[in-house]
Amino acid sequence: MNSHLLTSRQFIGTYFYLGIALGLLYWLFDAWVMTAIFNEGNWLNQVITPNADDLYMRSFTWALFTISGGMINALISQVKAQATQQNDLIGMLATSLNEVYIFDQNSLRFLHVNHGARENLGYTVEELAELTPLDLIPPMTPSKFNRVIAPLVSKQQHKLVFETIHRRKDGTDYPVEVHLQRTIFDNKPALYAIVIDTTERKLQEKEKRRLETLVWHAQKLESLEQMAGSMTHHFNNLLTIGLGN
């Protein structure tokens, strides 16, 4: 129901009313032609009570103008809605704390890179427009990257998640987790990537493993101490018995 209302609102608008007006003008113009050129009675009678053939032609033309105007209006409304949606998406991506990339599916050239990614990488918008994801991922060759994105391009999968390394403009590397999906950008097939810098996560995991290792060593040392205490206790008992004898 909401979809039907939305379509009706898109259809009825400026060009719809313009179509009605053009249809009315054609009706009046055709009545004038029939009167002035073909001398078929009074102009007012031609407007109000045309013969069957004229009524059919004028009604058909009026409906054609009206429907055409409505379709033009709906098409313009949809284009504006898509443009607004894309602008909203770009605005949302620009303020994201994660790195966001949109690149062409065929050429792999970056179409949009948000502020967070530019700040972390150290590249300008102009520099990134000349780059592809391969320039940011040192371990990735063109053939390997094509194999990675093949399930997305062929539509076998809707989303890919993998870990890799990103390289900044200054040559430093940092670990990332990439979430990759298909999208449409400027009416062209593109790939949309949300990239999470996992440097902090890796450090936390490393610290967690270090603490687990320390705990394991402490537990092992405690077990050895208990074993040594038990052996000492038994040895003392044997020694006491031996001395008593």
Side-chain angles (χ1 to χ4, degrees):
M1 182 175 179
N2 292 336
S3 176
H4 175 71
L5 290 174
L6 179 61
T7 303
S8 300
R9 290 171 184 171
Q10 290 177 342
F11 190 82
I12 299 173
T14 303
Y15 291 94
F16 175 80
Y17 296 119
L18 180 61
I20 293 176
L22 290 174
L24 177 60
L25 287 174
Y26 175 79
W27 190 295
L28 298 176
F29 174 75
D30 188 62
W32 176 82
V33 169
M34 298 306 295
T35 303
I37 298 178
F38 296 100
N39 297 317
E40 292 190 9
N42 181 271
W43 178 78
L44 186 59
N45 290 335
Q46 278 289 337
V47 172
I48 299 174
T49 57
N51 60 42
D53 291 338
D54 288 338
L55 179 62
Y56 171 78
M57 182 57 67
R58 292 175 194 174
S59 299
F60 176 78
T61 305
W62 197 344
L64 185 62
F65 274 121
T66 303
I67 293 172
S68 299
M71 290 179 67
I72 292 172
N73 198 80
L75 181 61
I76 291 175
S77 297
Q78 289 177 359
V79 170
K80 288 181 177 179
Q82 289 176 356
T84 300
Q85 185 178 12
Q86 184 166 302
N87 289 333
D88 291 343
L89 176 62
I90 291 175
M92 181 177 66
L93 297 180
T95 57
S96 174
L97 296 178
N98 293 320
E99 299 179 19
V100 179
Y101 304 84
I102 300 177
F103 55 94
D104 187 87
Q105 181 176 292
N106 298 316
S107 68
L108 302 182
R109 287 288 183 88
F110 287 121
L111 303 174
H112 174 77
V113 180
N114 76 331
H115 178 74
R118 297 196 304 270
E119 284 291 309
N120 200 2
L121 292 170
Y123 287 104
T124 65
V125 175
E126 293 75 18
E127 289 172 331
L128 285 166
E130 301 297 324
L131 302 180
T132 71
L134 298 175
D135 296 302
L136 307 182
I137 309 177
M140 198 75 72
T141 62
S143 58
K144 184 178 179 181
F145 190 74
N146 287 331
R147 288 197 300 270
V148 169
I149 66 174
L152 282 182
V153 175
S154 61
K155 298 182 180 180
Q156 294 178 355
Q157 292 182 232
H158 299 292
K159 183 178 180 180
L160 292 175
V161 180
F162 60 93
E163 292 188 351
T164 186
I165 298 294
H166 264 196
R167 177 161 293 171
R168 300 183 179 90
K169 184 179 179 180
D170 62 9
T172 58
D173 295 339
Y174 59 100
V176 294
E177 181 180 273
V178 180
H179 296 251
L180 196 61
Q181 292 178 276
R182 294 191 314 276
T183 188
I184 299 294
F185 193 85
D186 286 340
N187 297 318
K188 295 187 296 184
L191 295 177
Y192 162 62
I194 296 179
V195 177
I196 303 171
D197 186 341
T198 58
T199 302
E200 188 65 28
R201 184 199 303 175
K202 296 294 183 183
L203 290 175
Q204 291 176 356
E205 291 175 354
K206 184 177 180 180
E207 180 64 16
K208 181 181 177 182
R209 288 194 297 270
R210 189 183 71 83
L211 292 176
E212 288 175 348
T213 302
L214 289 176
V215 170
W216 181 80
H217 281 298
Q219 290 174 343
K220 186 176 180 180
L221 183 60
E222 183 180 359
S223 298
L224 290 173
E225 289 177 349
Q226 290 176 352
M227 184 182 298
S230 177
M231 291 177 64
T232 301
H233 177 70
H234 288 299
F235 180 76
N236 287 336
N237 289 338
L238 292 174
L239 185 61
T240 302
I241 295 171
L243 292 173
N245 289 332

